Amino acid sequence: MVISTRGRYALRVMIDIAENQEEGKYIALKEIVERQGISQKYIESIMTELSKGGFLDAVHGKGGGYRLNRKPEDYKVSEILKVTEGGICPVSCPVCTGSTCPKSEGCRTLPMWQALYKDINDFFDSYTIANLMKK
């Protein structure tokens, strides 16, 4: 399993917003782009996913930008990666989707993949944006 730049940048952006937002104010995309050194076009597509996923509030136009709609401790890394990566499955196997495989009954590796998937989820569930912020 490889976490792409999309997932890694989404986490960086969420941390950036959490560390820099002021009560009730929105952070302009341009500010995030400058601090993070990520292309605006790429970051826009990530912001769209995060907004549609319910992680950010967005306002367009003058005075607009982005802000968290929850406290940093209420954002699990796992949920952000699932939205931006399309899942965090270690193998291309139905074990991650909950669907059944015609070979699952006799599959000797299925329990191993299930355990690995659970471990990965538990690991990323144990981290929040608040954990990753500067202290």
Side-chain angles (χ1 to χ4, degrees), residues 85-126:
E85 294 291 321
I88 50 175
C89 191
V91 292
S92 57
C93 171
V95 70
C96 301
T97 62
S99 58
T100 58
C101 173
K103 297 180 182 181
S104 64
E105 192 172 308
C107 182
R108 294 179 186 226
T109 61
L110 182 61
M112 175 184 66
W113 298 131
Q114 289 170 327
L116 178 59
Y117 181 58
K118 181 185 180 316
D119 288 347
I120 289 169
N121 275 289
D122 290 347
F123 175 80
F124 286 127
D125 277 349
S126 72

Side-chain angles (χ1 to χ4, degrees), residues 16-105:
D16 184 287
I17 294 170
E19 290 177 341
N20 293 289
Q21 76 177 10
E22 296 175 29
E23 187 68 33
K25 294 189 178 183
Y26 290 85
I27 298 176
L29 183 65
K30 183 178 179 180
E31 294 175 31
I32 299 167
V33 166
E34 288 173 5
R35 281 192 297 266
Q36 293 302 314
I38 302 168
S39 84
Q40 184 164 333
K41 188 172 184 174
Y42 195 34
I43 228 172
E44 283 173 348
S45 67
I46 293 170
M47 298 306 249
T48 299
E49 282 183 335
L50 292 172
S51 294
K52 285 182 180 178
F55 300 111
L56 299 172
D57 291 332
V59 172
H60 300 285
K62 188 174 181 175
Y66 298 89
R67 69 178 181 192
L68 301 182
N69 54 29
R70 296 183 257 169
K71 295 176 185 173
E73 57 269 18
D74 294 335
Y75 291 95
K76 291 181 182 179
V77 167
S78 61
E79 64 184 348
I80 295 165
L81 291 177
K82 285 175 185 173
V83 165
T84 56
E85 294 291 321
I88 50 175
C89 191
V91 292
S92 57
C93 171
V95 70
C96 301
T97 62
S99 58
T100 58
C101 173
K103 297 180 182 181
S104 64
E105 192 172 308

